[in-house]
Amino acid sequence: NAAPQPDLGDDIIGCIGETYPLDATSERATYLWQDGSTDAIFNATQSGVYSVTVTNACGQTTEEIEIVLLDGPPVVNLGQDMVVCATTNLTLDATNDQATYLWQDGSTNATFPVTAPGIYEVTVTNACGPTTDQITIEFVNAAPQPDFGEDIFGCVGQTFQLDATSERATYLWQDGSTNALFNATQAGVYNVTVTNVCGQATEEIEITLLSEAPVVALGMDSILCSGDNFNLDVTSLGATYLWQDGATSAVYPINSNGNYQVTVTNACGSTTDNVSYEFVSGPPNPNLGNDEVACIGETFLLDATSERATYEWQDGSTDATFS
């Protein structure tokens, strides 16, 4: 009824070891394949381009098809489980020749962008079969920020634990140790470099070890002139201070009569001392009265009494009065 119209179908992606029959059967026809064979059906077992010329009384038609045979299922390797910085742009790539893809969320691209921590899985399928692989990805949100706080004043014999713990980090201390925690038992400067996938930071601290509680000496009770400016100074290394009125400075101004007390504390203990101060309003102003003319045998009492004063008379006596 018509010239041949052989149809070998679409090009084939197959797997090595399989046979693919190519059927060119047409009405009352003869056949000539690329290798000279003349059957209506040709069994293809290798990759290549196959063609057939089909002839009948109405005419002649040539058809061809390409067959690509793969040597096995896809090779899929998403890599080892990993920890990445949350700001990193990461894409998983499962690309294989002549394959289809199915990810854990149903997407079908060869690549998958990672936007959150989790388990990622892909099944890659070709003519030889499927291969599945998965990977666990964890996020680190920021670079390390170790903080030891203020320098430390301690007491000989104490141990101070320095904590540099950071998210998914490694540690390198001044002595080469690599733990997150370091137990310091001696005075010195300690430092650590903390590293994670987001960055690196170094922190250091100085530890000073004291051998005894503070030595505090406010001195003897004293009398001061009201115009004097006077401070009590109990400064001591690594110490805190508590005065009778709740003040906490190392230096305390004296400006009125009273009893002054301070407790000085360091890592080794506390010491308390107190002292009293009185103020006088000004220098002495003795008044012995006017010169006198008297009769031998009379007695005069001369009075030089002054506020908080000492006395020295012409004969060396030291009382406030002189007869």
Side-chain angles (χ1 to χ4, degrees):
N1 294 316
Q5 293 182 327
D7 182 7
L8 300 181
D10 294 332
D11 291 343
I12 296 173
I13 306 296
C15 192
I16 290 176
E18 294 185 17
T19 298
Y20 296 90
L22 305 179
D23 189 347
T25 301
S26 296
E27 183 183 12
R28 295 285 185 175
T30 61
Y31 310 91
L32 181 62
W33 294 88
Q34 76 286 333
D35 66 347
S37 61
T38 58
D39 293 333
I41 297 174
F42 186 92
N43 291 317
T45 59
Q46 296 181 345
S47 296
V49 176
Y50 295 82
S51 66
V52 63
T53 299
V54 184
T55 305
N56 68 14
C58 293
Q60 184 180 81
T61 304
T62 298
E63 170 78 345
E64 72 175 22
I65 188 174
E66 182 177 8
I67 297 177
V68 176
L69 299 184
L70 308 174
D71 59 4
V75 176
V76 184
N77 183 11
L78 297 180
Q80 297 293 318
D81 293 345
M82 67 177 70
V83 179
V84 299
C85 189
T87 59
T88 300
N89 292 322
L90 177 64
T91 299
L92 302 178
D93 192 344
T95 300
N96 272 262
D97 288 338
Q98 307 299 332
T100 60
Y101 309 90
L102 181 63
W103 293 88
Q104 75 286 336
D105 66 347
S107 61
T108 56
N109 294 324
T111 59
F112 192 94
V114 176
T115 58
I119 298 174
Y120 294 82
E121 181 176 281
V122 64
T123 297
V124 184
T125 304
N126 66 15
C128 296
T131 301
T132 299
D133 193 23
Q134 71 174 21
I135 185 174
T136 299
I137 297 176
E138 296 184 46
F139 275 14
V140 172
N141 294 314
Q145 294 181 322
D147 183 8
F148 293 149
E150 300 293 333
D151 290 342
I152 295 173
F153 288 91
C155 193
V156 172
Q158 286 183 299
T159 297
F160 299 91
Q161 188 175 76
L162 305 178
D163 189 347
T165 302
S166 296
E167 185 182 12
R168 289 287 185 176
T170 60
Y171 310 90
L172 182 62
W173 293 87
Q174 74 289 330
D175 65 348
S177 60
T178 56
N179 294 322
L181 305 176
F182 189 93
N183 290 322
T185 59
Q186 297 181 343
V189 176
Y190 295 83
N191 66 75
V192 64
T193 297
V194 186
T195 305
N196 67 18
V197 293
C198 291
Q200 184 179 87
T202 297
E203 172 74 344
E204 73 173 25
I205 189 172
E206 183 175 4
I207 296 178
T208 302
L209 297 182
L210 309 172
S211 60
E212 61 182 3
V215 175
V216 183
L218 295 180
M220 303 296 293
D221 294 347
S222 300
I223 299 171
L224 303 174
C225 181
S226 60
D228 292 342
N229 292 318
F230 186 72
N231 292 322
L232 297 177
D233 190 343
V234 292
T235 301
S236 183
L237 184 64
T240 59
Y241 312 92
L242 182 62
W243 294 88
Q244 75 288 335
D245 63 353
T248 57
S249 61
V251 178
Y252 191 94
I254 300 299
N255 51 30
S256 63
N257 295 341
N259 184 60
Y260 296 87
Q261 178 176 292
V262 66
T263 298
V264 183
T265 303
N266 67 16
C268 296
S270 298
T271 303
T272 299
D273 195 18
N274 59 67
V275 66
S276 290
Y277 285 95
E278 291 187 47
F279 284 82
V280 294
S281 58
N285 187 24
N287 183 8
L288 299 182
N290 297 321
D291 293 342
E292 294 281 354
V293 177
C295 185
I296 292 174
E298 286 188 76
T299 298
F300 293 90
L301 182 64
L302 305 180
D303 189 347
T305 301
S306 295
E307 182 186 15
R308 290 289 185 178
T310 60
Y311 310 90
E312 184 180 4
W313 294 89
Q314 74 287 335
D315 63 352
S317 61
T318 56
D319 292 332
T321 60
F322 185 88
S323 295

